Amino acid sequence: MLVRDAMSTVVLTIGPTHTLRQAAALMSARKVGAAVVHDPDAGGIGILTERDVLNSVGLGQDPDTERAHAHTTTDVVFAAPTWTLEEAASAMAHGGFRHLIVLDGGEPTGIVSVRDIIRCWAPARQRVPA
């Protein structure tokens, strides 16, 4: 199975000046665990995850004043839609992260997460008779 078969095509894109509260509200509303941060002034595309927001709040930082750019990972490993799920899982395991931005023609077209991969690899649930 390929990344394109597992990825979410709901790509939340935010700007670097979004507050962490704004980013968290958008992620929550769209039921996603990561946002692509597009910052043309800082070199392009990064990722902000729910863990980044959680770490900031855990440190006592104010989510209403902290900006996405200060918590964005810019050293991003990108996946291609034609990668196998094994390649994606290997990149995640080696890099210690749970999301990959999927680029097609240099543009973000999806995000694949550990959850997406597990969902594809796990056998379909069978109904247990009552």
Side-chain angles (χ1 to χ4, degrees):
M1 186 171 280
L2 302 178
V3 164
R4 73 171 155 243
D5 302 318
M7 72 182 190
S8 170
T9 56
V10 176
V11 180
L12 172 61
T13 302
I14 64 172
T17 60
H18 274 79
T19 66
L20 291 188
R21 184 175 307 280
Q22 290 169 325
L26 290 168
M27 286 190 274
S28 178
R30 294 206 173 97
K31 295 180 173 56
V32 297
V36 172
V37 180
H38 181 68
D39 188 356
D41 295 333
I45 299 172
I47 190 165
L48 178 76
T49 67
E50 58 197 359
R51 174 133 333 172
D52 298 322
V53 175
L54 182 65
N55 287 341
S56 175
V57 171
L59 290 170
Q61 296 173 334
D62 183 354
D64 290 315
T65 59
E66 288 295 311
R67 302 293 173 175
H69 68 84
H71 302 277
T72 297
T73 300
T74 55
D75 186 19
V76 179
V77 175
F78 298 102
T82 55
W83 279 18
T84 65
L85 293 186
E86 289 83 3
E87 289 172 308
S90 178
M92 289 177 185
H94 285 95
F97 42 81
R98 299 179 298 149
H99 298 85
L100 288 170
I101 299 171
V102 182
L103 294 183
D104 192 5
E107 293 296 317
T109 59
I111 292 183
V112 65
S113 69
V114 169
R115 181 177 295 178
D116 296 326
I117 293 171
I118 291 170
R119 181 179 37 81
C120 290
W121 282 348
R125 288 193 214 179
Q126 295 182 5
R127 288 187 168 241
V128 178

